[in-house]
Amino acid sequence: MLRFLVKSAIRAVAASYNTPERRGARGERLVHNVLTSVLNEQEYRVLTDVILPVAGGTTQIDHLVLSRFGIFVIETKNMSGWIFGGANQQKWTQVQKRSKRRFQNPLRQNYAHVKAVQDILQVDQEALHNLIVFTGTAEPKTAMPDSVAWGLKDLGRLIALQRKQILTDVQVNAYVKKLRDQALDNTKATRNEHLQNLEKKAAAKKQTPAKETAVNLDQIACPKCGKEMVKRTNRKTGDAFWGCASFPKCRGTRKAANR
């Protein structure tokens, strides 16, 4: 009987240790440790687990890296198994040995964080980089956008690719200060309130007609970088299409749906 109770206790502890929330927290700590140890602190400023006020509630950002080469808004996913998805899909799929689950497209999830930073700092879209990093053993099974990193080494590569100076050192310092001033104290009460806001938004989305939601989502996902897209017209054919707002830096396009 005692042996059974001990085994049950061990299983309970293991289960609580491997909840999605705890796996996510471990992934975020890992990314923070790597970013702060690898990136030159003279060039890059790292902010982690930042809760910012937005219209109608709050938004929680895993990591922000600010530099002369732009502001990197990073969403961490500590996952395993196979990952299926694309920039234009609302939901991605995680497949493990005996399970399959759908989760929100992280590029779209992180886009809300990008817009929150843009609204607070009042910076151009060109200065913002929407990056996703998978820190677990997950493997992509479909073609993924260039802004999705598979492992910390790949994340470092994506950050290092950006070498065009967009901001000055004075601007970087001012933006770091403004974000810190705007950020809410990361207390248990603040986190609970943030989760309550997310639940309210999720409930509100369920009441929104699916067709209207699809129209709104069509406008935000560049297949190459995940940034916002704007509607344009082909000069030769007159056909409408979606083009990345960062053109000519990014030349991502997608067909415009006929409505």
Side-chain angles (χ1 to χ4, degrees):
M1 182 64 178
L2 179 60
R3 182 179 298 177
F4 172 77
L5 291 175
V6 170
K7 287 184 177 180
S8 297
I10 292 174
R11 283 196 296 267
V13 170
S16 65
Y17 183 75
N18 284 314
T19 61
E21 292 77 13
R22 292 198 174 188
R23 287 198 300 271
R26 292 197 297 273
E28 290 170 19
R29 287 195 298 271
L30 180 62
V31 173
H32 170 79
N33 292 339
V34 170
L35 289 175
T36 53
S37 62
V38 172
L39 296 178
N40 185 341
E41 63 180 9
Q42 300 300 320
E43 284 192 316
Y44 298 92
R45 308 286 293 278
V46 180
L47 304 178
T48 295
D49 202 9
V50 180
I51 300 178
L52 297 173
V54 295
T58 55
T59 191
Q60 188 171 16
I61 303 174
D62 290 346
H63 309 280
L64 286 165
V65 176
L66 295 91
S67 73
R68 289 172 296 153
F69 313 114
I71 301 169
F72 302 86
V73 185
I74 303 169
E75 173 72 16
T76 301
K77 294 296 179 187
N78 187 9
M79 302 174 69
S80 58
W82 293 347
I83 305 298
F84 297 81
N88 301 323
Q89 294 181 323
Q90 183 179 357
K91 296 284 187 178
W92 288 9
T93 302
Q94 177 192 29
V95 177
Q96 295 176 295
K97 289 183 179 179
R98 297 183 180 178
S99 66
K100 178 189 293 187
R101 78 176 186 92
R102 288 166 62 78
F103 60 99
Q104 185 181 4
N105 179 336
L107 283 169
R108 297 188 176 191
Q109 177 186 357
N110 204 40
Y111 180 76
H113 303 154
V114 172
K115 292 301 290 183
V117 172
Q118 184 178 23
D119 291 343
I120 289 173
L121 300 183
Q122 293 297 297
V123 295
D124 292 336
Q125 183 78 24
E126 182 188 16
L128 295 158
H129 306 290
N130 180 352
L131 298 183
I132 311 300
V133 57
F134 283 82
T135 59
T137 58
E139 299 178 27
K141 288 298 177 179
T142 51
M144 290 288 174
D146 296 336
S147 53
V148 179
W150 299 89
L152 299 174
K153 184 176 181 180
D154 198 26
L155 175 63
R157 179 187 64 81
L158 292 182
I159 294 176
L161 282 175
Q162 304 298 331
R163 299 304 297 175
K164 176 185 176 183
Q165 182 169 337
I166 299 173
L167 306 173
T168 66
D169 289 333
V170 172
Q171 286 176 310
V172 171
N173 291 332
Y175 292 156
V176 169
K177 182 179 185 306
K178 191 168 186 178
L179 288 168
R180 284 176 171 165
D181 290 344
Q182 291 278 339
L184 305 178
D185 291 335
N186 199 333
T187 63
K188 184 176 180 180
T190 301
R191 292 193 296 272
N192 287 339
E193 184 177 353
H194 173 67
L195 291 175
Q196 290 172 4
N197 288 332
L198 291 179
E199 290 173 357
K200 291 178 182 178
K201 288 181 179 179
K205 280 185 178 180
K206 289 182 180 179
Q207 299 175 358
T208 303
K211 187 175 181 179
E212 180 181 349
T213 303
V215 172
N216 292 336
L217 289 174
D218 266 349
Q219 303 177 27
I220 65 172
C222 172
K224 287 192 173 182
C225 69
K227 290 185 178 179
E228 184 176 4
M229 303 195 83
V230 294
K231 208 164 192 178
R232 297 195 171 102
T233 302
N234 188 310
R235 294 181 180 178
K236 293 183 178 180
T237 65
D239 294 332
F241 68 96
W242 293 107
C244 183
S246 296
F247 179 86
K249 180 180 177 181
C250 176
R251 297 178 178 271
T253 61
R254 53 176 300 204
K255 293 180 180 179
N258 295 320
R259 302 197 203 299

